Amino acid sequence: MNVFNVVFASNILSFDNVLWGDVYKATLETLHMTVVSTIYVFVIGLVLGILLYVTDENHAWENKFVHGALSFVVDIFRSIPFVILIVLLIPVTKVLVGTMLGPKGAIPALIISAAPFYARLVSIALNEIPVGVVEAAESMGATTLKIIWKVLIPEALPALISGITVTAIALIGATAAAGVIGSGGLGTLAYLIGYTRNKQDIVLVATVMILILVFVIQLMGDYFTKRVDKR
């Protein structure tokens, strides 16, 4: 190891540039963006996923036009890279929340990018439910809405929780990407304050904090998935 590498490593590990109050604030901002957007994504994605399922062929509300239109919209928005989407949505974001900066400005793009992704996971989870379970409920005279709330969602719950866990982790990554254009949080701390000013210790701390958040969310998701799994 040469002298430059020794000095570089010692600068990172000394954490001289790290202001822990800023790290705490950035972590809270990332948590705020992740939690708020995950709640909205869960509700919107669940509704979209259920509609994709019930309007599909051989299902209760079969409608090729509605199903095709929903599939098209879901596939379009989940295919657009997040950084491009957040720029495209700047006019919409300004109308909805009054600003494109800070955590508040990132949330609409986070929701719009992740809800279609989760909707697909919901649709896949519902399609994996044995047909006989649904047919049994239909034979007992259950309405479509009752089947949705009493059969489909309970049967698919482990997969739904697992899916929202994956989505929440993806949202943490998206908040980091949004930080590059000033949304706040650990992404802004790592890029605008750490990387652009060559303060590698800040980049390291921000990265570790993001990893901790990911591990915590994954552990929580695994725990609740096991709790509701009846198999």
Side-chain angles (χ1 to χ4, degrees):
M1 182 180 291
N2 58 37
V3 175
F4 174 78
N5 289 335
V6 171
V7 172
F8 183 72
S10 64
N11 286 338
I12 291 179
L13 297 176
S14 66
F15 303 114
D16 291 337
N17 299 308
V18 177
L19 298 175
W20 295 103
D22 290 347
V23 174
Y24 176 72
K25 180 186 175 185
T27 303
L28 288 182
E29 287 176 344
T30 295
L31 274 173
H32 171 74
M33 288 186 281
T34 303
V35 171
V36 172
S37 56
T38 298
I39 292 170
Y40 279 99
V41 165
F42 179 76
V43 175
I44 296 170
L46 184 63
V47 172
L48 287 175
I50 290 171
L51 288 174
L52 282 169
Y53 174 81
V54 297
T55 58
D56 202 358
E57 190 176 358
N58 298 323
H59 290 151
W61 296 343
E62 179 181 345
N63 188 310
K64 289 184 179 179
F65 175 78
V66 173
H67 182 79
L70 282 173
S71 293
F72 178 76
V73 171
V74 164
D75 290 340
I76 285 291
F77 279 99
R78 75 191 183 101
S79 301
I80 301 174
F82 178 74
V83 174
I84 296 174
L85 183 63
I86 198 170
V87 173
L88 289 175
L89 291 174
I90 285 174
V92 177
T93 300
K94 285 183 176 178
V95 171
L96 290 176
V97 299
T99 181
M100 58 166 283
L101 299 175
K104 186 189 292 186
I107 287 174
L110 290 169
I111 295 169
I112 292 171
S113 68
F117 172 75
Y118 184 58
R120 275 297 178 196
L121 296 181
V122 172
S123 177
I124 291 169
L126 295 178
N127 277 301
E128 289 179 350
I129 297 173
V131 177
V133 175
V134 179
E135 290 176 345
E138 288 174 341
S139 68
M140 291 186 286
T143 63
T144 301
L145 289 177
K146 258 188 182 175
I147 291 172
I148 291 170
W149 295 113
K150 300 289 187 181
V151 178
L152 295 179
I153 291 178
E155 287 290 328
L157 195 54
L160 297 181
I161 294 174
S162 179
I164 199 62
T165 302
V166 171
T167 306
I169 290 172
L171 281 168
I172 290 179
T175 65
V180 174
I181 58 173
S183 71
L186 292 165
T188 294
L189 184 69
Y191 181 75
L192 295 182
I193 298 176
Y195 177 74
T196 60
R197 300 178 188 179
N198 199 30
K199 298 178 179 179
Q200 300 299 326
D201 50 350
I202 294 178
V203 177
L204 176 61
V205 169
T207 302
V208 170
M209 292 306 300
I210 289 172
L211 289 174
I212 290 172
L213 291 179
V214 168
F215 287 140
V216 169
I217 290 174
Q218 187 64 61
L219 287 172
M220 290 174 60
D222 291 343
Y223 171 77
F224 286 111
T225 299
K226 289 177 182 177
R227 284 292 301 269
V228 300
D229 196 343
K230 296 177 291 185
R231 291 174 296 179

